[in-house]
Amino acid sequence: MPETTTDTSHRDAFLWESSYPSFVSWDADVKPRAVYEMLEATVANYPDHPAFDFLDKKYKWSEIGDLVRRFARGLQDLGLKKGQRVGLFLPNCPYFLVAYYGILRAGGTVVNYNPLYARDEVRHQINDSETDIMITADLKILAETVIDMLHETRLNEVIIADFTDMLPFPKNHLFKLLKGSQRLKVNYADKRLTKFKDMLAERGEPDDVDIDPETDLAVLQYTGGTTGLPKGAMLSHSAVSANAEQVAHWVQPIEDGKHKMVGVLPFFHVFAMTAVMNTSVRKAMEIIALPRFDLDQTLDLIHKKKATVFPAVPAIYTAINNHKRRENYDLSSIDYCISGGAPLPVEVKKDFEDGTGCVLVEGYGLTETAPVACVNPLIGDNRSGSIGLPIPCTDVSLRDPDTGKPVAQGEKGELCIKGPQVMLGYWNRAEDNDGVFTEDGYLRTGDVAIMDEGGYLFIVDRIKDLIITNGYNVYPRHVEEAIYQHSAVEECIVGGLPDERRGEIVKAWIKLKEGCTLTEEELREFLSDKLSRIQQPKRYEFRDEPLPKTMIGKLSRKDVIAQEKEKAR
């Protein structure tokens, strides 16, 4: 198990402190506490402030707090014991927030599930995490899968929300809103099925549960599974609450109780869990949410609701930049945007800032760090192409991936992280824990980075994504950044393919902006002064359709390479 405190004996080596905004201190007061205590503080301090706007149905923080209290009591009456795993299989909605905090208040552990998982993936995660109770909605695509799991897994209780209970408009509008999603008529004669609204009956206060924030699990957050089966990162109450507190210290220009947060990233994903949901709770922001990302609905939401804070992934900012009718939407209300989940191309950042007048900063994190570890400052030196500076209480060390020794400033090394937000380890994966932590307690990220003289970090690439061609190292991200400089390029993925003579060759998959043309020869000429001959892609593939993406909207190198291998069979 890693240390949860950061050794400050080498503070003189913390180059990044000199680049901190004046209002931020590296050793900020970040005390261990139960996650639900954040909500209780916000409910006490901002009871009448708006908390959640879901398709025009609105909740105040006092109302959210009351629903959480009732749901926690309902779970305890259902028999929930301390530490018992409860799954969330829901789209973005108010009941996600209520269930998440209700589970934690009742003493349970949240297990986030991707609602688009295939049945085999859901089955694996239920059994691996030992989930006993699942919370879902009566949308057919969700409820059918979960109910079937009662017969195929250890799952023994399903709580089902009537999705229309959360809507302010007639039920027949739901079909259009969710683009064809149908509701399932649930047979509640099965005693293992419970209505969500029945869990909200007034039964009195929930019992207090003795929580040790540093050792008791708040969330089992599963990794994306890019290197095999997904693993459950064990995030303690302290890790989750500390990360929200660290972010709150970093984004102080976003004043408590005065902002509107765009909630289109999926809450089940670790980025949105902290950057959207928990940060909004900590800073009493109003969450303006959609059940899932839709470009036109998102633009309409910002335009009409005058949202001010907009975390997203680069693919979303790219889509907005290239929207045919972007000028029809007033996006000037946006003050601050934080990009994560994937590298933010410099041109995408510039175009979005020019088009909105906002400050767009790139950050960095991992499932294993709850997730935020580094972010560019909202005020001050916001360096394009950099993931920014380590946030308060976070120590980073760049190390030779072979020897484990720290590298000199300015040299490439594996990014290693220590801080209160780091996971306790992987659930039931002792063999994986041995390799992910250094002997002195740093988390190995698998990402190669460089630190400049100001302490800003620049990700070069992932160790496992490194392309070795003719014995030379080629970093896909570096090649992608060069290609993105061409004004005709909308999306780009670079990866390595097996080659008998060279070991691997570099290939680029590209989607052009609508109405633009570009030939391979023209692109090679454009890149001639930006990439060496070794780094130049040997093959190009121009696609008319968007490149494959993950659920959160991140361009997926894994999927495009899998498609390539399938074609080669």
Side-chain angles (χ1 to χ4, degrees), residues 373-388:
C374 303
V375 187
N376 271 276
L378 295 184
I379 294 176
D381 193 356
N382 171 10
R383 299 192 181 180
S384 296
S386 169
I387 59 170

Side-chain angles (χ1 to χ4, degrees), residues 275-310:
V276 177
M277 189 173 70
N278 287 339
T279 296
S280 293
V281 169
R282 166 58 183 80
K283 294 188 70 63
M285 287 189 270
E286 181 182 15
I287 301 172
I288 307 171
L290 293 174
R292 63 187 182 192
F293 172 70
D294 177 271
L295 179 56
D296 288 326
Q297 290 176 1
T298 299
L299 290 169
D300 197 52
L301 178 151
I302 297 169
H303 174 82
K304 292 181 178 177
K305 305 285 186 177
K306 303 303 178 187
T308 58
V309 182
F310 182 23

Side-chain angles (χ1 to χ4, degrees), residues 168-244:
F169 46 74
K171 296 183 179 183
N172 59 1
H173 286 230
L174 178 62
F175 186 83
K176 180 180 179 181
L177 171 73
L178 294 178
K179 294 186 176 178
S181 294
Q182 297 177 336
R183 296 176 66 214
L184 181 70
K185 188 173 182 179
V186 180
N187 178 13
Y188 286 100
D190 187 334
K191 298 303 181 183
R192 296 172 297 178
L193 305 180
T194 302
K195 294 181 180 180
F196 193 99
K197 64 182 178 182
D198 290 347
M199 299 287 292
L200 301 176
E202 181 58 77
R203 300 181 179 89
E205 295 296 317
D207 296 333
D208 289 332
V209 179
D210 185 20
I211 296 293
D212 182 340
E214 296 192 280
T215 60
D216 286 333
L217 298 186
V219 179
L220 269 184
Q221 187 73 33
Y222 276 73
T223 63
T226 56
T227 56
L229 287 173
K231 301 185 288 286
M234 297 188 291
L235 302 178
S236 67
H237 275 265
S238 179
V240 176
S241 63
N243 204 222

Side-chain angles (χ1 to χ4, degrees), residues 79-297:
L80 182 74
K81 306 300 182 186
K82 178 182 174 181
Q84 194 170 4
R85 268 72 64 197
V86 183
L88 289 179
F89 199 69
L90 287 166
N92 289 4
C93 60
Y95 284 173
F96 191 110
L97 178 67
V98 169
Y100 179 95
Y101 277 88
I103 293 165
L104 299 177
R105 177 64 181 84
T109 296
V110 170
V111 185
N112 282 320
Y113 284 76
N114 182 340
L116 295 186
Y117 264 170
R119 286 173 181 252
D120 286 349
E121 294 173 303
V122 176
R123 187 182 300 109
H124 163 75
Q125 190 169 320
I126 289 172
N127 290 328
D128 186 75
S129 64
E130 300 172 13
T131 296
D132 294 319
I133 302 170
M134 190 77 83
I135 301 167
T136 190
D138 63 347
L139 303 175
K140 189 173 182 180
I141 192 173
L142 303 180
E144 275 191 340
T145 297
V146 173
I147 292 171
D148 285 349
M149 292 299 133
L150 286 169
H151 309 288
E152 301 176 19
T153 68
R154 61 175 288 132
L155 195 67
N156 56 46
E157 188 80 34
V158 177
I159 299 168
I160 302 174
D162 183 332
F163 204 82
T164 60
D165 285 348
M166 296 177 273
L167 302 176
F169 46 74
K171 296 183 179 183
N172 59 1
H173 286 230
L174 178 62
F175 186 83
K176 180 180 179 181
L177 171 73
L178 294 178
K179 294 186 176 178
S181 294
Q182 297 177 336
R183 296 176 66 214
L184 181 70
K185 188 173 182 179
V186 180
N187 178 13
Y188 286 100
D190 187 334
K191 298 303 181 183
R192 296 172 297 178
L193 305 180
T194 302
K195 294 181 180 180
F196 193 99
K197 64 182 178 182
D198 290 347
M199 299 287 292
L200 301 176
E202 181 58 77
R203 300 181 179 89
E205 295 296 317
D207 296 333
D208 289 332
V209 179
D210 185 20
I211 296 293
D212 182 340
E214 296 192 280
T215 60
D216 286 333
L217 298 186
V219 179
L220 269 184
Q221 187 73 33
Y222 276 73
T223 63
T226 56
T227 56
L229 287 173
K231 301 185 288 286
M234 297 188 291
L235 302 178
S236 67
H237 275 265
S238 179
V240 176
S241 63
N243 204 222
E245 193 66 35
Q246 289 169 301
V247 172
H249 279 286
W250 192 253
V251 299
Q252 288 180 53
I254 301 174
E255 297 182 64
D256 292 7
K258 294 185 178 181
H259 283 268
K260 296 180 179 182
M261 170 72 78
V262 178
V264 296
L265 293 176
F267 294 169
F268 70 79
H269 191 279
V270 70
F271 179 22
M273 182 187 78
T274 292
V276 177
M277 189 173 70
N278 287 339
T279 296
S280 293
V281 169
R282 166 58 183 80
K283 294 188 70 63
M285 287 189 270
E286 181 182 15
I287 301 172
I288 307 171
L290 293 174
R292 63 187 182 192
F293 172 70
D294 177 271
L295 179 56
D296 288 326
Q297 290 176 1

Side-chain angles (χ1 to χ4, degrees), residues 124 128 222 229-232 426-434:
H124 163 75
D128 186 75
Y222 276 73
L229 287 173
K231 301 185 288 286
Y426 293 118
W427 175 257
N428 290 336
R429 298 287 186 95
E431 68 282 3
D432 291 317
N433 293 332
D434 293 338

